[in-house]
């Protein structure tokens, strides 16, 4: 089953205690697509500026990523810059330059409108709604967002969430959106907004799935040398949605496995700067790490 993703393809500036990159390809849809394409066919809808060369576009080639929906506009690509704290747990955003993103109005190519799996990556909520109006009858719609949109466009976000099945966000965004500190209470609050499942990404503390079946937790993979957490959340979403679309099921067992594959993809992403580790990742490494997670959390009573 193919998977439609709409979101940012960008250039990022990243500073972490392990190095600095002034301009590296990034964007939520980039990380998502690279991760999800290990599991299923990905149809990418995004906008880039004229500074995004055909050489840059090669990052998507040779994979199961269709770029028919990659729109080129006059101007510069979305640019985002951040600096990470010593322990990589916190970051400050140094720049968010919307550029061609400011006038982005995603047009879903005719061959994608039957998409059964849709991921609305982190973009303005009114654009996310616009995408859903174009897609005919999706089976699962998942959405990511961030503080930037929660602070600026909360009403639009609430409207969009009415049509979303799975919300995939981090712990601080969960608290900000629900006004609840406790994550389980926050989940109950968010279910009233529309989604029937909430996936909470908690960085080095792992990830939680909360839905009608209760709570499922996956630990993060302990890494000796994490370097750059950028895009880990998007790669998580790519592993999660890619797995669900690839297996075509939405049983509790499938959702649990999707959580593990999300965790696997996030863990590889942080090993190197930008999407570098994802670019050279092999599918067999993914399955080996999923088995590692199984071992990490298995015990007998
Ligand atoms: P993450 O580390 O998973 O939160 O995602 C980081 C990626 O999201 C970077 O590659 C950025 O280019 C992209 N990004 C950051 N802020 C925004 C925003 N406001 N809208 C869309 N994409 C963003």
């Amino acid at each position: 089953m193919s998977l439609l993703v709409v979101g940012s393809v960008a250039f990022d500036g990243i500073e972490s205690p392990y190095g600095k990159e002034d301009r590296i390809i990034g964007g939520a849809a980039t990380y998502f697509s690279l991760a999800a394409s290990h599991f299923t066919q990905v149809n990418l809808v995004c906008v880039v500026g004229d500074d995004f060369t055909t050489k840059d576009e090669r990052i998507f080639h040779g994979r199961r990523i269709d770029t028919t929906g990659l729109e080129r506009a006059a101007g510069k690509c979305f640019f985002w810059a951040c600096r990470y704290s010593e322990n990589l747990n916190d970051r400050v955003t140094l720049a968010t330059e919307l550029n061609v993103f400011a006038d982005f109005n995603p047009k879903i190519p005719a061959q994608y409108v039957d998409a059964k799996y849709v991921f609305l990556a982190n973009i303005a909520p009114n654009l996310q709604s616009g995408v859903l109006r174009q897609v005919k009858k999706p089976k699962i719609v998942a959405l990511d967002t961030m503080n930037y949109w929660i602070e600026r466009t909360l009403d639009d976000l609430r409207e969009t969430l009415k049509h979303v099945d799975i919300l995939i966000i981090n712990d601080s965004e969960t608290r900000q959106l629900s006004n609840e500190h406790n994550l389980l209470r926050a989940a109950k609050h968010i279910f009233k907004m529309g989604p029937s499942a909430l996936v909470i990404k908690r960085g080095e503390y792992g990830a939680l799935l909360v839905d009608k079946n209760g709570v499922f937790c996956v630990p993060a993979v302990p890494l000796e040398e994490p370097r750059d957490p950028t895009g880990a959340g998007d790669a998580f979403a790519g592993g999660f949605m890619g797995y669900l679309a690839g297996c075509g099921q939405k049983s509790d067992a499938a959702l649990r496995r999707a959580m593990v594959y999300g965790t696997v993809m996030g863990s590889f992403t942080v090993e190197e700067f930008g999407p570098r580790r994802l670019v050279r990742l092999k599918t067999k490494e993914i399955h080996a790490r999923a088995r590692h997670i199984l071992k990490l959390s298995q015990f007998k009573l």
Side-chain angles (χ1 to χ4, degrees), residues 47-198:
V47 65
V48 292
D50 37 32
D51 51 348
F52 195 81
T53 63
T54 43
K55 193 172 164 222
D56 294 324
E57 197 180 324
R58 275 193 226 144
I59 193 166
F60 300 119
H61 296 166
R63 308 169 190 280
R64 285 188 285 173
I65 303 175
D66 187 295
T67 53
T68 310
L70 182 143
E71 180 189 325
R72 291 186 171 276
K76 285 164 88 179
C77 272
F78 176 67
F79 178 77
W80 178 77
C82 78
R83 184 188 301 125
Y84 288 94
S85 63
E86 204 56 40
N87 60 12
L88 297 179
N89 282 338
D90 302 304
R91 73 179 177 201
V92 280
T93 297
L94 303 175
T96 300
E97 296 170 13
L98 295 178
N99 299 326
V100 291
F101 227 57
D103 299 316
F104 183 38
N105 188 8
K107 277 177 279 311
I108 307 304
Q111 62 266 44
Y112 298 171
V113 296
D114 288 315
K116 293 290 169 240
Y117 293 81
V118 178
F119 184 66
L120 303 166
N122 180 20
I123 50 170
N126 64 328
L127 299 186
Q128 293 173 319
S129 285
V131 170
L132 290 183
R133 282 194 291 273
Q134 296 173 64
V135 178
K136 281 189 185 150
K137 209 170 173 260
K139 237 167 118 174
I140 297 186
V141 175
L143 177 144
D144 186 11
T145 191
M146 70 189 294
N147 54 351
Y148 186 89
W149 304 115
I150 299 172
E151 283 154 22
R152 289 167 177 76
T153 54
L154 186 59
D155 288 345
D156 288 349
L157 180 59
R158 281 175 167 275
E159 187 51 42
T160 311
L161 283 174
K162 291 181 187 163
H163 310 283
V164 167
D165 303 295
I166 307 178
L167 178 63
I168 307 180
I169 52 177
N170 71 28
D171 40 6
S172 65
E173 291 151 0
T174 304
R175 293 186 171 110
Q176 194 177 9
L177 179 62
S178 63
N179 272 321
E180 287 279 3
H181 185 78
N182 179 283
L183 293 177
L184 296 182
R185 277 210 303 273
K188 281 192 185 157
H189 199 103
I190 286 172
F191 294 153
K192 288 188 198 138
M193 298 180 185
S196 55
L198 174 66

Side-chain angles (χ1 to χ4, degrees), residues 9 28 45 53 67 105 201 211 221-222 249 252 254 274 287:
V9 169
V45 172
T53 63
T67 53
N105 188 8
K201 300 168 287 183
D211 65 3
V221 179
Q249 298 166 18
D252 186 47
H287 296 300

